[in-house]
C-alpha cells in the first residue's frame, strides 16, 4: 500500500487497518477497501483530508 498523499511506502502500522505515513505525517485508516486520510493536530485530534483526494486515490491497493 502507498500513501495517497506522497506516494511513499514508509508506512507504520498503528492499529487494525490503521497506518501512519512517516514521510508526510498523516494517518490512514482502511474501511471497506477505502482509505480515510487524516492529519493529526497538535492536540492529538484528527482532521479529515479526504476532500483533497479523488475516489481513485482513496482506493486501497495492497
Amino acid at each position: 500500500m502507498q500513501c495517497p498523499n506522497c506516494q511513499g511506502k514508509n508506512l507504520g502500522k498503528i492499529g487494525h487497518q490503521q497506518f501512519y505515513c512517516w514521510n508526510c505525517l498523516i494517518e490512514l485508516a482502511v474501511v471497506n477497501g477505502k482509505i480515510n486520510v487524516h492529519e493529526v493536530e497538535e492536540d492529538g485530534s484528527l482532521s479529515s483530508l479526504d476532500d483533497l483526494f479523488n475516489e481513485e486515490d482513496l482506493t486501497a491497493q495492497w
Side-chain angles (χ1 to χ4, degrees), residues 6-45:
C6 70
Q7 306 305 313
K9 293 188 177 191
N10 191 13
L11 301 175
K13 188 167 185 163
I14 58 174
H16 180 68
Q17 298 295 309
Q18 292 181 313
F19 305 90
Y20 187 79
C21 179
W22 290 100
N23 293 338
C24 57
L25 310 176
I26 60 174
E27 188 174 309
L28 313 167
V30 180
V31 178
N32 297 325
K34 182 179 178 235
I35 301 172
N36 295 318
V37 183
H38 295 91
E39 178 179 25
V40 181
E41 301 293 340
E42 289 182 16
D43 65 357
S45 64

mmCIF file of all heavy atoms in Angstrom, residues 6-45:
data_model
loop_
_atom_site.group_PDB
_atom_site.id
_atom_site.type_symbol
_atom_site.label_atom_id
_atom_site.label_comp_id
_atom_site.label_asym_id
_atom_site.label_seq_id
_atom_site.Cartn_x
_atom_site.Cartn_y
_atom_site.Cartn_z
ATOM 1 N N CYS A 6 1.808 11.319 -0.578
ATOM 2 C CA CYS A 6 3.185 11.430 -1.065
ATOM 3 C C CYS A 6 3.614 10.266 -1.947
ATOM 4 O O CYS A 6 4.735 10.269 -2.460
ATOM 5 C CB CYS A 6 4.141 11.574 0.113
ATOM 6 S SG CYS A 6 4.321 10.066 1.110
ATOM 7 N N GLN A 7 2.754 9.251 -2.085
ATOM 8 C CA GLN A 7 3.036 8.042 -2.848
ATOM 9 C C GLN A 7 4.155 7.207 -2.249
ATOM 10 O O GLN A 7 4.680 6.308 -2.886
ATOM 11 C CB GLN A 7 3.362 8.361 -4.319
ATOM 12 C CG GLN A 7 2.321 9.191 -5.036
ATOM 13 C CD GLN A 7 0.936 8.584 -4.977
ATOM 14 O OE1 GLN A 7 0.773 7.404 -5.229
ATOM 15 N NE2 GLN A 7 -0.047 9.378 -4.619
ATOM 16 N N GLY A 8 4.541 7.519 -1.014
ATOM 17 C CA GLY A 8 5.594 6.775 -0.339
ATOM 18 C C GLY A 8 5.088 5.473 0.261
ATOM 19 O O GLY A 8 3.885 5.267 0.438
ATOM 20 N N LYS A 9 6.032 4.590 0.565
ATOM 21 C CA LYS A 9 5.694 3.305 1.173
ATOM 22 C C LYS A 9 6.225 3.196 2.594
ATOM 23 O O LYS A 9 6.264 2.128 3.165
ATOM 24 C CB LYS A 9 6.244 2.176 0.313
ATOM 25 C CG LYS A 9 5.566 2.078 -1.027
ATOM 26 C CD LYS A 9 5.981 0.849 -1.771
ATOM 27 C CE LYS A 9 5.214 0.777 -3.077
ATOM 28 N NZ LYS A 9 5.373 -0.510 -3.722
ATOM 29 N N ASN A 10 6.618 4.323 3.164
ATOM 30 C CA ASN A 10 7.165 4.351 4.517
ATOM 31 C C ASN A 10 6.022 4.479 5.518
ATOM 32 O O ASN A 10 5.858 5.492 6.188
ATOM 33 C CB ASN A 10 8.153 5.512 4.652
ATOM 34 C CG ASN A 10 8.951 5.435 5.925
ATOM 35 O OD1 ASN A 10 8.965 4.418 6.605
ATOM 36 N ND2 ASN A 10 9.624 6.520 6.251
ATOM 37 N N LEU A 11 5.188 3.412 5.595
ATOM 38 C CA LEU A 11 4.015 3.412 6.448
ATOM 39 C C LEU A 11 4.246 2.516 7.655
ATOM 40 O O LEU A 11 4.791 1.425 7.529
ATOM 41 C CB LEU A 11 2.787 2.901 5.681
ATOM 42 C CG LEU A 11 2.384 3.682 4.438
ATOM 43 C CD1 LEU A 11 1.241 2.981 3.728
ATOM 44 C CD2 LEU A 11 2.002 5.096 4.790
ATOM 45 N N GLY A 12 3.823 2.990 8.807
ATOM 46 C CA GLY A 12 3.877 2.191 10.018
ATOM 47 C C GLY A 12 2.471 1.801 10.431
ATOM 48 O O GLY A 12 1.534 2.575 10.262
ATOM 49 N N LYS A 13 2.317 0.595 10.951
ATOM 50 C CA LYS A 13 1.002 0.129 11.383
ATOM 51 C C LYS A 13 0.780 0.568 12.822
ATOM 52 O O LYS A 13 1.593 0.296 13.692
ATOM 53 C CB LYS A 13 0.908 -1.386 11.265
ATOM 54 C CG LYS A 13 -0.470 -1.908 11.519
ATOM 55 C CD LYS A 13 -0.619 -3.347 11.092
ATOM 56 C CE LYS A 13 -2.067 -3.738 11.279
ATOM 57 N NZ LYS A 13 -2.402 -4.925 10.548
ATOM 58 N N ILE A 14 -0.348 1.249 13.074
ATOM 59 C CA ILE A 14 -0.639 1.740 14.423
ATOM 60 C C ILE A 14 -1.873 1.090 15.023
ATOM 61 O O ILE A 14 -2.218 1.358 16.167
ATOM 62 C CB ILE A 14 -0.781 3.284 14.446
ATOM 63 C CG1 ILE A 14 -1.872 3.748 13.496
ATOM 64 C CG2 ILE A 14 0.547 3.938 14.127
ATOM 65 C CD1 ILE A 14 -2.172 5.231 13.571
ATOM 66 N N GLY A 15 -2.549 0.264 14.256
ATOM 67 C CA GLY A 15 -3.749 -0.420 14.734
ATOM 68 C C GLY A 15 -4.291 -1.302 13.639
ATOM 69 O O GLY A 15 -3.711 -1.419 12.558
ATOM 70 N N HIS A 16 -5.435 -1.941 13.919
ATOM 71 C CA HIS A 16 -6.065 -2.787 12.913
ATOM 72 C C HIS A 16 -6.537 -1.916 11.756
ATOM 73 O O HIS A 16 -7.402 -1.058 11.923
ATOM 74 C CB HIS A 16 -7.247 -3.545 13.526
ATOM 75 C CG HIS A 16 -7.940 -4.428 12.543
ATOM 76 N ND1 HIS A 16 -7.339 -5.538 12.021
ATOM 77 C CD2 HIS A 16 -9.160 -4.334 11.968
ATOM 78 C CE1 HIS A 16 -8.177 -6.109 11.168
ATOM 79 N NE2 HIS A 16 -9.287 -5.392 11.125
ATOM 80 N N GLN A 17 -5.929 -2.119 10.580
ATOM 81 C CA GLN A 17 -6.246 -1.357 9.371
ATOM 82 C C GLN A 17 -6.008 0.142 9.541
ATOM 83 O O GLN A 17 -6.664 0.961 8.910
ATOM 84 C CB GLN A 17 -7.689 -1.624 8.907
ATOM 85 C CG GLN A 17 -7.955 -3.065 8.526
ATOM 86 C CD GLN A 17 -7.157 -3.517 7.320
ATOM 87 O OE1 GLN A 17 -7.165 -2.855 6.294
ATOM 88 N NE2 GLN A 17 -6.446 -4.626 7.434
ATOM 89 N N GLN A 18 -5.053 0.515 10.415
ATOM 90 C CA GLN A 18 -4.686 1.917 10.602
ATOM 91 C C GLN A 18 -3.176 2.050 10.424
ATOM 92 O O GLN A 18 -2.408 1.250 10.959
ATOM 93 C CB GLN A 18 -5.074 2.416 11.980
ATOM 94 C CG GLN A 18 -6.564 2.511 12.191
ATOM 95 C CD GLN A 18 -6.883 3.038 13.572
ATOM 96 O OE1 GLN A 18 -6.321 2.587 14.563
ATOM 97 N NE2 GLN A 18 -7.788 3.986 13.633
ATOM 98 N N PHE A 19 -2.775 3.070 9.681
ATOM 99 C CA PHE A 19 -1.379 3.257 9.335
ATOM 100 C C PHE A 19 -0.988 4.724 9.502
ATOM 101 O O PHE A 19 -1.838 5.605 9.519
ATOM 102 C CB PHE A 19 -1.135 2.823 7.879
ATOM 103 C CG PHE A 19 -1.572 1.413 7.613
ATOM 104 C CD1 PHE A 19 -2.863 1.136 7.191
ATOM 105 C CD2 PHE A 19 -0.696 0.356 7.799
ATOM 106 C CE1 PHE A 19 -3.283 -0.157 6.952
ATOM 107 C CE2 PHE A 19 -1.102 -0.953 7.562
ATOM 108 C CZ PHE A 19 -2.393 -1.210 7.145
ATOM 109 N N TYR A 20 0.317 4.959 9.591
ATOM 110 C CA TYR A 20 0.855 6.312 9.731
ATOM 111 C C TYR A 20 1.955 6.485 8.705
ATOM 112 O O TYR A 20 2.857 5.635 8.597
ATOM 113 C CB TYR A 20 1.409 6.506 11.142
ATOM 114 C CG TYR A 20 1.833 7.915 11.433
ATOM 115 C CD1 TYR A 20 0.904 8.899 11.744
ATOM 116 C CD2 TYR A 20 3.176 8.283 11.390
ATOM 117 C CE1 TYR A 20 1.288 10.199 12.017
ATOM 118 C CE2 TYR A 20 3.566 9.581 11.663
ATOM 119 C CZ TYR A 20 2.624 10.530 11.968
ATOM 120 O OH TYR A 20 3.004 11.817 12.230
ATOM 121 N N CYS A 21 1.890 7.547 7.916
ATOM 122 C CA CYS A 21 2.916 7.825 6.919
ATOM 123 C C CYS A 21 4.011 8.669 7.559
ATOM 124 O O CYS A 21 3.763 9.790 8.006
ATOM 125 C CB CYS A 21 2.323 8.557 5.719
ATOM 126 S SG CYS A 21 3.579 8.936 4.469
ATOM 127 N N TRP A 22 5.199 8.114 7.608
ATOM 128 C CA TRP A 22 6.333 8.809 8.224
ATOM 129 C C TRP A 22 6.918 9.876 7.307
ATOM 130 O O TRP A 22 7.697 10.715 7.752
ATOM 131 C CB TRP A 22 7.408 7.811 8.629
ATOM 132 C CG TRP A 22 6.961 6.975 9.781
ATOM 133 C CD1 TRP A 22 6.462 5.706 9.737
ATOM 134 C CD2 TRP A 22 6.932 7.364 11.153
ATOM 135 N NE1 TRP A 22 6.123 5.286 11.002
ATOM 136 C CE2 TRP A 22 6.408 6.282 11.893
ATOM 137 C CE3 TRP A 22 7.280 8.520 11.842
ATOM 138 C CZ2 TRP A 22 6.234 6.330 13.262
ATOM 139 C CZ3 TRP A 22 7.114 8.553 13.204
ATOM 140 C CH2 TRP A 22 6.601 7.464 13.905
ATOM 141 N N ASN A 23 6.532 9.879 6.039
ATOM 142 C CA ASN A 23 7.030 10.905 5.110
ATOM 143 C C ASN A 23 6.243 12.207 5.240
ATOM 144 O O ASN A 23 6.831 13.284 5.332
ATOM 145 C CB ASN A 23 6.943 10.417 3.660
ATOM 146 C CG ASN A 23 7.888 9.271 3.378
ATOM 147 O OD1 ASN A 23 8.878 9.078 4.067
ATOM 148 N ND2 ASN A 23 7.565 8.492 2.369
ATOM 149 N N CYS A 24 4.914 12.113 5.233
ATOM 150 C CA CYS A 24 4.104 13.338 5.262
ATOM 151 C C CYS A 24 3.291 13.477 6.550
ATOM 152 O O CYS A 24 2.496 14.403 6.668
ATOM 153 C CB CYS A 24 3.219 13.431 4.024
ATOM 154 S SG CYS A 24 2.110 12.045 3.780
ATOM 155 N N LEU A 25 3.485 12.561 7.499
ATOM 156 C CA LEU A 25 2.932 12.670 8.850
ATOM 157 C C LEU A 25 1.406 12.716 8.883
ATOM 158 O O LEU A 25 0.815 13.526 9.588
ATOM 159 C CB LEU A 25 3.519 13.888 9.563
ATOM 160 C CG LEU A 25 5.046 14.002 9.511
ATOM 161 C CD1 LEU A 25 5.507 15.280 10.160
ATOM 162 C CD2 LEU A 25 5.714 12.794 10.112
ATOM 163 N N ILE A 26 0.768 11.827 8.119
ATOM 164 C CA ILE A 26 -0.684 11.722 8.151
ATOM 165 C C ILE A 26 -1.081 10.308 8.564
ATOM 166 O O ILE A 26 -0.299 9.369 8.437
ATOM 167 C CB ILE A 26 -1.343 12.092 6.803
ATOM 168 C CG1 ILE A 26 -0.868 11.184 5.679
ATOM 169 C CG2 ILE A 26 -1.121 13.547 6.469
ATOM 170 C CD1 ILE A 26 -1.593 11.400 4.367
ATOM 171 N N GLU A 27 -2.301 10.164 9.047
ATOM 172 C CA GLU A 27 -2.827 8.876 9.468
ATOM 173 C C GLU A 27 -3.800 8.364 8.415
ATOM 174 O O GLU A 27 -4.590 9.121 7.867
ATOM 175 C CB GLU A 27 -3.538 9.018 10.812
ATOM 176 C CG GLU A 27 -3.947 7.706 11.408
ATOM 177 C CD GLU A 27 -4.513 7.861 12.800
ATOM 178 O OE1 GLU A 27 -3.852 8.519 13.638
ATOM 179 O OE2 GLU A 27 -5.608 7.327 13.044
ATOM 180 N N LEU A 28 -3.710 7.061 8.137
ATOM 181 C CA LEU A 28 -4.565 6.427 7.143
ATOM 182 C C LEU A 28 -5.339 5.300 7.808
ATOM 183 O O LEU A 28 -4.770 4.538 8.580
ATOM 184 C CB LEU A 28 -3.726 5.833 6.006
ATOM 185 C CG LEU A 28 -2.641 6.723 5.405
ATOM 186 C CD1 LEU A 28 -1.705 5.917 4.541
ATOM 187 C CD2 LEU A 28 -3.277 7.834 4.617
ATOM 188 N N ALA A 29 -6.615 5.205 7.498
ATOM 189 C CA ALA A 29 -7.435 4.106 8.004
ATOM 190 C C ALA A 29 -8.144 3.481 6.811
ATOM 191 O O ALA A 29 -8.703 4.191 5.974
ATOM 192 C CB ALA A 29 -8.454 4.611 9.017
ATOM 193 N N VAL A 30 -8.101 2.157 6.719
ATOM 194 C CA VAL A 30 -8.749 1.452 5.614
ATOM 195 C C VAL A 30 -10.076 0.891 6.124
ATOM 196 O O VAL A 30 -10.099 0.093 7.059
ATOM 197 C CB VAL A 30 -7.854 0.329 5.065
ATOM 198 C CG1 VAL A 30 -8.546 -0.387 3.922
ATOM 199 C CG2 VAL A 30 -6.510 0.880 4.620
ATOM 200 N N VAL A 31 -11.173 1.332 5.504
ATOM 201 C CA VAL A 31 -12.514 0.888 5.877
ATOM 202 C C VAL A 31 -13.228 0.454 4.602
ATOM 203 O O VAL A 31 -13.415 1.263 3.689
ATOM 204 C CB VAL A 31 -13.308 2.021 6.572
ATOM 205 C CG1 VAL A 31 -14.705 1.564 6.911
ATOM 206 C CG2 VAL A 31 -12.579 2.523 7.797
ATOM 207 N N ASN A 32 -13.585 -0.825 4.536
ATOM 208 C CA ASN A 32 -14.279 -1.386 3.368
ATOM 209 C C ASN A 32 -13.546 -1.091 2.062
ATOM 210 O O ASN A 32 -14.152 -0.731 1.055
ATOM 211 C CB ASN A 32 -15.718 -0.866 3.287
ATOM 212 C CG ASN A 32 -16.552 -1.295 4.462
ATOM 213 O OD1 ASN A 32 -16.369 -2.397 4.980
ATOM 214 N ND2 ASN A 32 -17.458 -0.448 4.885
ATOM 215 N N GLY A 33 -12.217 -1.217 2.071
ATOM 216 C CA GLY A 33 -11.419 -1.014 0.866
ATOM 217 C C GLY A 33 -11.169 0.432 0.501
ATOM 218 O O GLY A 33 -10.551 0.723 -0.516
ATOM 219 N N LYS A 34 -11.641 1.366 1.311
ATOM 220 C CA LYS A 34 -11.447 2.798 1.051
ATOM 221 C C LYS A 34 -10.529 3.383 2.115
ATOM 222 O O LYS A 34 -10.648 3.069 3.296
ATOM 223 C CB LYS A 34 -12.790 3.523 1.071
ATOM 224 C CG LYS A 34 -12.662 4.988 0.760
ATOM 225 C CD LYS A 34 -14.010 5.681 0.765
ATOM 226 C CE LYS A 34 -13.801 7.146 0.485
ATOM 227 N NZ LYS A 34 -14.355 8.025 1.453
ATOM 228 N N ILE A 35 -9.611 4.212 1.693
ATOM 229 C CA ILE A 35 -8.666 4.844 2.614
ATOM 230 C C ILE A 35 -9.257 6.157 3.120
ATOM 231 O O ILE A 35 -9.701 6.999 2.332
ATOM 232 C CB ILE A 35 -7.320 5.124 1.920
ATOM 233 C CG1 ILE A 35 -6.706 3.828 1.404
ATOM 234 C CG2 ILE A 35 -6.362 5.830 2.868
ATOM 235 C CD1 ILE A 35 -5.479 4.038 0.534
ATOM 236 N N ASN A 36 -9.268 6.334 4.429
ATOM 237 C CA ASN A 36 -9.639 7.605 5.047
ATOM 238 C C ASN A 36 -8.341 8.263 5.505
ATOM 239 O O ASN A 36 -7.543 7.646 6.198
ATOM 240 C CB ASN A 36 -10.570 7.390 6.238
ATOM 241 C CG ASN A 36 -11.894 6.806 5.822
ATOM 242 O OD1 ASN A 36 -12.466 7.211 4.824
ATOM 243 N ND2 ASN A 36 -12.376 5.846 6.575
ATOM 244 N N VAL A 37 -8.134 9.505 5.089
ATOM 245 C CA VAL A 37 -6.895 10.220 5.361
ATOM 246 C C VAL A 37 -7.151 11.310 6.397
ATOM 247 O O VAL A 37 -8.105 12.080 6.267
ATOM 248 C CB VAL A 37 -6.343 10.856 4.063
ATOM 249 C CG1 VAL A 37 -5.018 11.545 4.321
ATOM 250 C CG2 VAL A 37 -6.198 9.813 2.970
ATOM 251 N N HIS A 38 -6.302 11.354 7.431
ATOM 252 C CA HIS A 38 -6.451 12.345 8.487
ATOM 253 C C HIS A 38 -5.109 12.971 8.837
ATOM 254 O O HIS A 38 -4.082 12.306 8.816
ATOM 255 C CB HIS A 38 -7.013 11.705 9.760
ATOM 256 C CG HIS A 38 -8.393 11.184 9.591
ATOM 257 N ND1 HIS A 38 -8.660 9.898 9.209
ATOM 258 C CD2 HIS A 38 -9.593 11.795 9.740
ATOM 259 C CE1 HIS A 38 -9.966 9.725 9.143
ATOM 260 N NE2 HIS A 38 -10.555 10.863 9.457
ATOM 261 N N GLU A 39 -5.160 14.244 9.173
ATOM 262 C CA GLU A 39 -3.993 14.944 9.705
ATOM 263 C C GLU A 39 -4.111 14.937 11.223
ATOM 264 O O GLU A 39 -5.185 15.187 11.767
ATOM 265 C CB GLU A 39 -3.970 16.383 9.196
ATOM 266 C CG GLU A 39 -2.814 17.185 9.736
ATOM 267 C CD GLU A 39 -2.823 18.607 9.194
ATOM 268 O OE1 GLU A 39 -3.887 19.116 8.808
ATOM 269 O OE2 GLU A 39 -1.750 19.197 9.175
ATOM 270 N N VAL A 40 -3.010 14.650 11.894
ATOM 271 C CA VAL A 40 -3.003 14.657 13.353
ATOM 272 C C VAL A 40 -2.678 16.079 13.810
ATOM 273 O O VAL A 40 -1.631 16.630 13.477
ATOM 274 C CB VAL A 40 -1.966 13.656 13.917
ATOM 275 C CG1 VAL A 40 -1.991 13.657 15.432
ATOM 276 C CG2 VAL A 40 -2.223 12.255 13.381
ATOM 277 N N GLU A 41 -3.605 16.671 14.546
ATOM 278 C CA GLU A 41 -3.426 18.043 15.042
ATOM 279 C C GLU A 41 -2.535 18.057 16.285
ATOM 280 O O GLU A 41 -2.256 17.018 16.867
ATOM 281 C CB GLU A 41 -4.800 18.659 15.361
ATOM 282 C CG GLU A 41 -5.744 18.718 14.181
ATOM 283 C CD GLU A 41 -5.303 19.679 13.095
ATOM 284 O OE1 GLU A 41 -4.495 20.582 13.360
ATOM 285 O OE2 GLU A 41 -5.787 19.519 11.960
ATOM 286 N N GLU A 42 -2.105 19.240 16.703
ATOM 287 C CA GLU A 42 -1.228 19.387 17.871
ATOM 288 C C GLU A 42 -1.839 18.818 19.142
ATOM 289 O O GLU A 42 -1.124 18.296 19.997
ATOM 290 C CB GLU A 42 -0.873 20.857 18.087
ATOM 291 C CG GLU A 42 0.071 21.402 17.054
ATOM 292 C CD GLU A 42 0.431 22.854 17.321
ATOM 293 O OE1 GLU A 42 0.202 23.346 18.443
ATOM 294 O OE2 GLU A 42 0.944 23.495 16.397
ATOM 295 N N ASP A 43 -3.155 18.906 19.265
ATOM 296 C CA ASP A 43 -3.821 18.408 20.477
ATOM 297 C C ASP A 43 -4.150 16.912 20.392
ATOM 298 O O ASP A 43 -4.769 16.357 21.285
ATOM 299 C CB ASP A 43 -5.085 19.210 20.780
ATOM 300 C CG ASP A 43 -6.162 19.058 19.719
ATOM 301 O OD1 ASP A 43 -5.932 18.363 18.694
ATOM 302 O OD2 ASP A 43 -7.247 19.635 19.907
ATOM 303 N N GLY A 44 -3.743 16.253 19.302
ATOM 304 C CA GLY A 44 -3.983 14.825 19.140
ATOM 305 C C GLY A 44 -5.255 14.489 18.397
ATOM 306 O O GLY A 44 -5.490 13.326 18.080
ATOM 307 N N SER A 45 -6.086 15.476 18.108
ATOM 308 C CA SER A 45 -7.312 15.218 17.360
ATOM 309 C C SER A 45 -6.991 15.015 15.880
ATOM 310 O O SER A 45 -5.895 15.347 15.410
ATOM 311 C CB SER A 45 -8.301 16.371 17.542
ATOM 312 O OG SER A 45 -7.775 17.560 16.991
#
